[in-house]
Amino acid sequence: MSLRLDRLAVQLDWNLLRTFMVIIQERSITGAATRLNVTQPSVSAALRRLEERLELRLVERGSGQSFVITRAGEAVYREALEIYGGVVRLNDIDASDGLSLAGNLVIHRSSHLETERIMNVLADFRRQHPGVTFSVRSVSCADVTQALLHRISSIGFCTRVDPSIQRLEAMALTPQEFGAYCGPAHPLYRQQVADPALLAESDIVGFEEDQIAGALSTLTRFRMRHGIGARFIAAASGIVDLVDLIESGTAIGFLSRGHAVRYGFKLWQIPLDVPPPVVEVYSLVDSERLMSPLEVALLEHLETEGIARQPRRRSEV
């Protein structure tokens, strides 16, 4: 190791790298300062010190707080993510026998997904490894992707995959069938035959991603194709809120059948004379992430159950 590299390894402050990570993730100095609960000048100073220490220009400053990350900055960001992952994996070290299958696993899932089978498989994994805990976070499909790209999540489950992000390996799972539902106040409630005119003039409520450019565009196109709904009046980020909107109002909403059975005690599935819409479901894994032994074990378990597969780094493809 050269004298310069040795000095860098000894003297570089990890907090500078962490601050740089947050700057890139938040895409602004202001956002990074808010997230880190420090002042904007402190964040700017940390970025400047990191550039001086590395002797690299990491970002090109624009007007105000705007900036563009340089190629060197992108490389440093990737390395910082790996370092961060290594620090987090220190939680998996047991004093008695070194690396053990214990620790917390973060999993991100789309809030509109029905995940009963996935949760059952995770529960089975935890029964085999009692020292394991899970943090399951329900977010939008876009946030599932970002959580994986930022090394926050071990695995993600969503209904849309961005083919341009090659490092995220997607595995298609069993698609989910959705149905049209209404509450007691809707004129189609308990009706065995759906009046096309009532379907066409009904208001619609749905998930935030139920739009033509959203992750649930399948539902939007289905309604347009079959003349269901006059206007979209309310959006919900989670299943409980959407069920409340349908049950307490006079609008129609589309839910996965599993969710409707579990949460919609007063819901009525409107009989349609066309096949129901089907939404694709995927598991996502970052192929460039250096997995901890705990994460490897989880993915092996999920692969056995047909829910995910171990990623292959590009060098292995």
Side-chain angles (χ1 to χ4, degrees), residues 10 26 39 48 50 60 77 110 120 125 128 156 158 184 188 215 224 237 248 274 309 312:
V10 172
E26 295 295 328
T39 64
R48 185 173 60 254
L50 180 61
E60 296 291 349
Y77 177 67
S110 297
N120 287 338
F125 181 77
Q128 297 178 30
C158 61
L188 288 176
M224 296 172 62
S237 60
S248 62
V274 292
R309 55 172 168 252
R312 291 185 301 164

Side-chain angles (χ1 to χ4, degrees), residues 189-209:
Y189 193 72
R190 301 293 188 189
Q191 297 298 309
Q192 300 297 327
V193 178
D195 182 346
L198 287 176
L199 284 174
E201 67 188 25
S202 294
D203 291 331
I204 297 294
V205 294
F207 291 106
E208 291 175 344
E209 295 183 273

Side-chain angles (χ1 to χ4, degrees), residues 125-145:
F125 181 77
R126 192 183 179 286
R127 281 191 290 269
Q128 297 178 30
H129 307 288
V132 173
T133 58
F134 292 108
S135 294
V136 181
R137 299 170 185 172
S138 296
V139 296
S140 67
C141 280
D143 286 341
V144 171
T145 297

